[in-house]
Amino acid sequence: MQTETHNRNWETLKAECLACTRCALSETRTQVVFGVGNPESEVLLIGEGPGQEEDIRGEPFVGRAGQLLDVMLASVGIKRENIYIANIVKCRPPNNRDPLNIEQDACIGWLREQTKLMRPKIIVCLGRVAAMKIIKPDYKITSEHGQWIEKSGFWMTAFYHPAFLLRDPRHKPDTFSDMKSLESKMREICTKTLPD
Ligand code: URA
Ligand code: SF4
């Protein structure tokens, strides 16, 4: 019963979001990238916005950065289909520029609705843009990545963005240890979304 209501609300939200024209990114997108994975998961990952590959395929993190993300998640036994992955803005910013504040503010309501329905226990921001929007405006990814804070009933952290790791692989070991800490946090507080 609970699940049916949940699914109906989720599907309604998704249908509304796929038709969204709340900001100008709707004019240049191929399609809205709503999110991927299991909406009943206890773990939510939040990126910045779709890139070219995501805009074409309609799924978050499927380009080169996404492939690196999958490898890093797999290193601690986490599969994409067992978590949920979404973005701050759901349409691609032209030329992969950072999403503007006005676009983030227009779009964040969709993510808030998704979060309200999911009720995840853990939220992981991928990169600076998501961390500044979700955790705090002055988030410093270099010094604060991988640290856990409890906020609004969620355990939150941020990792380096996988696209940044592709540009600067020296930081990969940091993210592998951050992944380990995600694995530990999941074993500590999750009841259904557990690493392999
Ligand atoms: N980068 C992001 O932040 N999100 C995606 O979905 C893909 C690349
Ligand atoms: Fe709507 Fe978000 Fe797309 Fe803007 S980026 S059109 S707010 S779904």
Side-chain angles (χ1 to χ4, degrees):
M1 208 57 144
Q2 180 93 40
T3 302
E4 272 174 32
T5 314
H6 179 279
N7 284 344
R8 191 159 53 242
N9 291 343
W10 188 266
E11 288 309 316
T12 307
L13 180 71
K14 182 171 180 179
E16 285 170 8
C17 182
L18 294 187
C20 177
T21 54
R22 284 182 197 167
C23 87
L25 294 179
S26 63
E27 292 160 26
T28 46
R29 73 181 179 223
T30 304
Q31 57 188 318
V32 174
V33 180
F34 184 68
V36 71
N38 178 5
E40 314 240 358
S41 179
E42 294 168 297
V43 180
L44 171 61
L45 264 56
I46 303 175
E48 181 176 320
Q52 183 174 32
E53 193 73 22
E54 290 77 22
D55 176 66
I56 293 168
R57 293 185 37 197
E59 184 175 327
F61 287 101
V62 288
R64 276 184 70 222
Q67 286 162 22
L68 176 58
L69 177 64
D70 284 346
V71 167
M72 297 191 117
L73 289 169
S75 75
V76 292
I78 303 171
K79 294 190 190 74
R80 156 182 300 250
E81 58 265 33
N82 295 335
I83 57 174
Y84 197 81
I85 310 178
N87 280 307
I88 298 283
V89 298
K90 304 205 179 302
C91 304
R92 182 194 182 202
N95 306 314
N96 300 339
R97 63 160 168 74
D98 283 357
L100 306 175
N101 279 327
I102 194 171
E103 295 158 351
Q104 295 185 35
D105 290 343
C107 206
I108 197 77
W110 294 118
L111 184 62
R112 289 203 200 291
E113 292 295 318
Q114 286 174 302
T115 310
K116 225 187 276 173
L117 288 175
M118 267 190 76
R119 301 247 106 246
K121 292 191 169 159
I122 294 176
I123 295 179
V124 180
C125 298
L126 297 173
R128 195 187 120 258
V129 169
M132 288 170 71
K133 192 73 185 168
I134 303 293
I135 302 179
K136 55 176 182 176
D138 62 345
Y139 195 88
K140 296 281 177 292
I141 193 91
T142 315
S143 52
E144 295 181 88
H145 70 85
Q147 293 176 19
W148 290 95
I149 61 150
E150 202 177 4
K151 190 189 157 194
S152 323
F154 308 106
W155 279 100
M156 295 187 184
T157 188
F159 299 170
Y160 284 123
H161 195 289
F164 169 74
L165 296 176
L166 288 175
R167 288 194 302 275
D168 197 343
R170 288 173 306 171
H171 293 285
K172 276 189 191 174
D174 285 334
T175 304
F176 275 112
S177 24
D178 290 350
M179 287 284 171
K180 286 261 170 223
S181 112
L182 172 59
E183 179 193 8
S184 308
K185 188 55 100 183
M186 286 168 72
R187 294 198 190 285
E188 186 191 325
I189 65 171
C190 290
T191 52
K192 31 177 212 176
T193 309
L194 291 167
D196 289 343

